[in-house]
Every structure is written in structure tokens, then in C-alpha cells.
Amino acid sequence: MTSAVPGTLAAFLCFFSLTVNVSDATGQETVAKPEKKITEIKIGYLRAYAPQLTLSMLDLPPRDEGVAGAEVAIGDNNTTGKFTNQKFSLDVTEVKPDGDAVQAFEGMITKGDRYVVADLSAKQLLSIADIARDKGVLIFNVGATDDSLREEDCRINVFHIAPTRSMLADALAQYLMVKKWPNWVLLYGSHEQDHLYADALRRAATRFGGQIVAEKEFKDTGTARRTDTGATQIQQQISVFTQDLPEHDVVLVADESEVFGTYVPYRTWTPRLVAGTAGLVASSWHPASQQWGGIQMQSRFLKTTSRRMLSKDMSAWTAVRAVGEATTRTKGDDAKRISDYIRSDDFSVAAFKGQKLTFRKWNLQLRQPILLGDTKSVVSTSPQEGYLHQVSELDTLGVDQPETKCALK
């Protein structure tokens, strides 16, 4: 019995040794799995920026207006990107509002940006559009509301997230007609953008049956708008300025240049409703929007940025999410393939507006509901009930396909 113990121990040690050796051998033969390849998708943000003067301190745009929305969307894209092996980044570049955007844009291309969110003037955007097309770069316009960019100056590589002036004016006109307030007075500023919005309001009146019974231009004389004397002078002028107007239901204000519009409500000679760029304002988003999951978006944005979400923030968010959605669906980062997909019937993007949004194929404008609101709340959303369309009710806002002058090139 005693001699069997060493033999049993030896057998056990031998078995243990073999087991260890086999385990080691197995470990040596196991090939490590290669790391997953991550596709980096670089999105540029090119903005024209300078501190601007507004009639009200409350209207001063935040320093990161638009950019903040894009950054939140980058985070949303990367949440999905963890599962699709994609990583999104944002490259922000600024130029002056009257500056040359070409050099800045070419610098972004050099850094590898193939998708550029543009918050530029119409002139600046056009200066880079053809360069971008030749370089295979897609531009997403979130700043310029000019109808010309979607019509005679349209480009096949420029997608428009921001609504046009005609879309905003049509949304307002529909609501005024539904409320049976058809007679309007039009007050407009003396700057180019004021005239363009006034033109959009005239077009909307013709389109939906409104009557502009009188028009007056408010000349910008360079009054010091932020001084007590300047503010008082303009406020006093408004009453006299509106004294001789014919009978009307609504005062329409076209003052994109922020010269007099804020002072029109409550100061007209005859007590009347005010709409346009003051009073009841049409916009692509509203800081108080809560419907269709908007409260979740608002809360998330507030938590991330410590401020409320503005229209340009939502436009930038939508632009970056459009890129994220397209790259996820196409499983790649080819700009040509992305462009084709965005323009196809398969593409849509959800933006907390009650329905999925798509691009108009004839001018690459994003279809979207327009919110009508005052400083505190959303009053209504257009298109209004009863305005029908054979394709999409959203196409009752802005230039429809039979009217377009766009020839994408």
C-alpha cells in the first residue's frame, strides 16, 4: 500500500503537467481578434459671426447659437455610432459676416471635412457651393432663408435645412386666413433683407387670399437704438407712423434688420394684432415647443448647454442628424452615395415635429412644419387644417414644384 502512494502521486502530477501544457498550447494557438475598424466622419461647421445689436436685450443671440445644436447632434450620432463602428466629430470655423468664406472653407476640406453645416449669408454660401461640388463636399444650409438659393441659384450639393422666407410667410398667412383676419397693413424696413421678407408676405397674401390694404417703409436713420433717447424716439414714432392707416385686421412687420419691429406691438395708433418679425412670429422651432417628444429634446438640450433651444440650434441639430442617419443607413462614408440616399424616397429624419421630414427633390429644401409663436408659447403650427396638397401638405408652404425655377446642377 505504501508503494502505491508515490505511484498515484506521480500519475497525478503527470496528468496535471499535461493539462497545463495543453492549456498553454491552446493559449498560444488562439489568435487575437482584430480590432474593429472605426470609420471617422468629419463634419464641418462654417459660420459667419459677429456680435449683433438687437432692440431687446432678451433677443441677443447666444455665442454658440447653432453650434450648440450641432454638438448635441454629434453626441446623438456617436451613441448610434458605437453600434455601427462610426465616430463623428465637429470642426467649427468662423468668418466675419462680410468676410471671404472661400479660404476658410478650403481649409476645412484640407482637414478632411466632407459634410459642412453652413451658417452663412446667401452670397457667402454661393461663393463656396461650386467649389464644394467639385470636391465632392455636401453643404447643409442652416442660416440663409433666401428663396433664391433654392430657385435660380440652387445647387445639387446644397441641402437646405432652414426654411425659406416664403415658407415662413405662407405659414403665417394660412393662420391669419383661418382666423378670418384677411386685411393686412405691411410695415417694412429699409434694408435688403427687410424687402425680401416683405416680398414673401406679398406673395403669401396673393396665394392665400389676404389683402394688403396699405404699405409703409420705415427708414433706418441710424438712431442709437440702445440709448434711452433712441428707444424713446422710435417708440414715439410708431404711433405717428401708423396714424393714417386704413381699416385693417393685422399689422404685418418685416424688420429682419432689427430697427423698429420690436416697438410695434402695443404702440400702434389703432389697437391691432401684430405678426411677422414681431408679435406672432413664424419659425422652424420654438423654445417652448413640447409636442411630439419636443419636451425630451428641450430638456436634453437645456441640460447639455444650460440654455433654451433656438431655431438655428434645431436646424443645425437636424443637419448633423441627417448626416448621421444617412451614413448609418448606407453603412459608409461616401459623399456621393450619401447625397443620392438623402435625395431618395427612402430617406427621412425625425425632428420632433410630428412627422418625419424629407427633402423636396426639385430644390433640396427640407419639408417641415412651421411653428407660430410669441415670446412665451407656440400659438399654432402650419400647414393649417384644410390646406391640402396632392403630394404633401407641407408643400403648401413655400415654392411648390410647378412654380420652381430650380435646375439642379
Side-chain angles (χ1 to χ4, degrees), residues 42-334:
K42 297 181 178 181
I43 300 176
Y45 194 114
L46 180 57
R47 69 189 304 224
Y49 176 80
Q52 71 180 74
L53 189 64
T54 58
L55 290 175
S56 170
M57 291 290 289
L58 297 179
D59 292 332
L60 280 173
R63 181 67 175 82
D64 61 350
E65 182 185 22
V67 175
E71 289 175 338
V72 171
I74 287 290
D76 294 343
N77 285 356
N78 281 329
T79 297
T80 304
K82 293 177 182 178
F83 304 99
T84 58
N85 300 325
Q86 293 173 322
K87 181 181 179 182
F88 296 82
S89 61
L90 189 69
D91 167 35
V92 181
T93 301
E94 292 184 352
V95 296
K96 293 186 180 300
D98 57 350
D100 182 5
V102 173
Q103 184 176 356
F105 179 70
E106 289 179 336
M108 299 175 81
I109 294 177
T110 301
K111 288 185 283 187
D113 298 335
R114 291 294 174 266
Y115 312 94
V116 174
V117 179
D119 181 9
L120 303 169
S121 68
K123 181 179 179 181
Q124 289 172 319
L125 193 147
L126 280 176
S127 73
I128 65 173
D130 292 341
I131 299 173
R133 181 192 58 205
D134 295 341
K135 297 287 188 179
V137 175
L138 303 184
I139 296 176
F140 294 83
N141 168 33
V142 301
T145 58
D146 303 67
D147 283 86
S148 61
L149 291 174
R150 290 81 164 170
E151 296 303 310
E152 56 267 27
D153 293 327
C154 66
R155 296 293 189 273
I156 197 168
N157 61 312
V158 181
F159 296 88
H160 302 280
I161 308 297
T164 61
R165 289 187 177 93
S166 63
M167 291 172 67
L168 299 174
D170 287 353
L172 194 60
Q174 284 189 12
Y175 179 71
L176 297 181
M177 295 305 294
V178 165
K179 295 296 291 181
K180 303 188 185 311
W181 301 328
N183 299 313
W184 311 333
V185 162
L186 175 59
L187 309 181
Y188 58 95
S190 56
H191 295 272
E192 180 184 5
Q193 62 266 41
D194 306 329
H195 286 200
L196 290 172
Y197 190 50
D199 287 342
L201 290 169
R202 295 185 189 102
R203 174 185 175 276
T206 301
R207 195 178 194 196
F208 296 107
Q211 298 293 321
I212 297 179
V213 297
E215 296 186 14
K216 295 190 79 170
E217 182 182 42
F218 192 100
K219 294 286 188 181
D220 183 3
T221 58
T223 304
R225 287 174 279 174
R226 277 289 178 80
T227 65
D228 291 338
T229 54
T232 301
Q233 182 181 8
I234 291 180
Q235 290 181 58
Q236 291 173 344
Q237 286 178 353
I238 295 300
S239 182
V240 176
F241 187 64
T242 58
Q243 183 175 1
D244 58 349
L245 296 174
E247 182 58 32
H248 57 283
D249 301 310
V250 179
V251 176
L252 296 181
V253 177
D255 179 37
E256 290 188 11
S257 53
E258 279 277 328
V259 172
F260 72 98
T262 299
Y263 294 134
V264 176
Y266 310 110
R267 297 178 178 89
T268 55
W269 184 267
T270 304
R272 290 295 181 268
L273 299 168
V274 176
T277 59
L280 185 66
V281 178
S283 58
S284 59
W285 187 248
H286 194 284
S289 180
Q290 299 183 43
Q291 289 184 294
W292 309 302
I295 188 65
Q296 286 81 8
M297 180 76 250
Q298 301 276 26
S299 298
R300 191 154 52 86
F301 187 86
L302 179 61
K303 182 178 180 180
T304 304
T305 66
S306 299
R307 65 173 179 80
R308 298 294 179 183
M309 191 175 204
L310 304 178
S311 287
K312 195 169 290 184
D313 295 311
M314 175 50 82
S315 291
W317 182 91
T318 305
V320 174
R321 282 294 299 124
V323 175
E325 180 70 16
T327 53
T328 298
R329 298 294 181 182
T330 59
K331 297 180 174 62
D333 185 29
D334 180 82

Side-chain angles (χ1 to χ4, degrees), residues 332-345:
D333 185 29
D334 180 82
K336 174 64 168 60
R337 191 177 177 187
I338 298 297
S339 177
D340 291 343
Y341 178 71
I342 291 177
R343 289 186 284 115
S344 74
D345 294 332

